[in-house]
Amino acid sequence: MSDEVKVERLAALFKQTGAAHHQAFLETDGDDPEWPLWYAEYLEGRLTPFLAAPLTRSRLVFCLIGADDEHRATESDTPWPEYYARRFLECLGPADEPAKDRLSLYYFDGCPFCVRVLRAIDALGLDVELRNIYADPVHLAALREVRSRTTVPVLRITSSDGEERWMPESADIVRYLQASYGQAAA
Ligand SMILES: N[C@@H](CCC(=O)N[C@@H](CS)C(=O)NCC(=O)O)C(=O)O
């Protein structure tokens, strides 16, 4: 995930917090001199996925006041949710991204079952290493060694700890990719 996407997502959370606070203080049209306390309670658990380490509520109050003071003092044109998001990410660091599986597809050109999988990879915008078994004898040999056959497509899934899974059957592969990387998985 790029830095700008991280800022965007965190800014959306701050914006949502502002809206929820306004809703809670409708009677005073959002006016609440103790707003950092309310924000901190609302944000405490919700911020965890965005930042390198969880914040205590009191530190959160401190950071919110700091961001607000700075935003006012600099008279920045940046909308406050984005300003806060940048400041929080700069001061506290973004959360580590979860380690991703590495994917390789064993296939060959002109194989209709492979095309089905290739289309799903394209539609999901996935980064998959394509291993044409008839273009590179090393890939053919690896497939034969592990599977004792050369039927393709086969998806090799290597997790961050090095564990490997070899998944045959185009329908199973497409289902797996959609479940792991489709919108419902996000
Ligand atoms: N049911 C399998 C069929 C796969 C299949 O028949 N693949 C053909 C190519 S389209 C193949 O690899 N044939 C050569 C072989 O089995 O060695 C799937 O949906 O993935």
Side-chain angles (χ1 to χ4, degrees), residues 17-67:
T17 308
H21 177 265
H22 198 91
Q23 192 62 32
F25 286 82
L26 265 185
E27 271 181 24
T28 57
D29 195 24
D31 193 29
D32 166 26
E34 299 287 14
W35 67 269
L37 296 175
W38 193 98
Y39 270 52
E41 188 174 340
Y42 185 89
L43 283 167
E44 197 181 12
R46 290 179 170 91
L47 265 178
T48 311
F50 295 90
L51 301 174
L55 283 171
T56 59
R57 212 177 294 181
S58 46
R59 189 153 165 70
L60 193 42
V61 168
F62 175 77
C63 292
L64 284 164
I65 293 172

Side-chain angles (χ1 to χ4, degrees), residues 59-130:
R59 189 153 165 70
L60 193 42
V61 168
F62 175 77
C63 292
L64 284 164
I65 293 172
D68 189 53
D69 285 350
E70 202 180 281
H71 187 235
R72 284 170 202 283
T74 56
E75 296 180 13
S76 166
D77 288 337
T78 308
W80 73 265
E82 184 187 329
Y83 193 92
Y84 283 27
R86 291 191 188 284
R87 194 178 190 275
F88 270 65
L89 288 168
E90 269 165 30
C91 296
L92 305 158
D96 286 340
E97 295 193 30
K100 283 193 205 137
D101 290 344
R102 267 187 303 121
L103 304 174
S104 318
L105 182 73
Y106 289 76
Y107 81 108
F108 65 78
D109 286 335
C111 151
F113 296 98
C114 302
V115 167
R116 188 192 277 181
V117 175
L118 289 164
R119 285 204 182 123
I121 289 171
D122 240 25
L124 294 163
L126 299 177
D127 181 17
V128 177
E129 186 194 345
L130 300 179

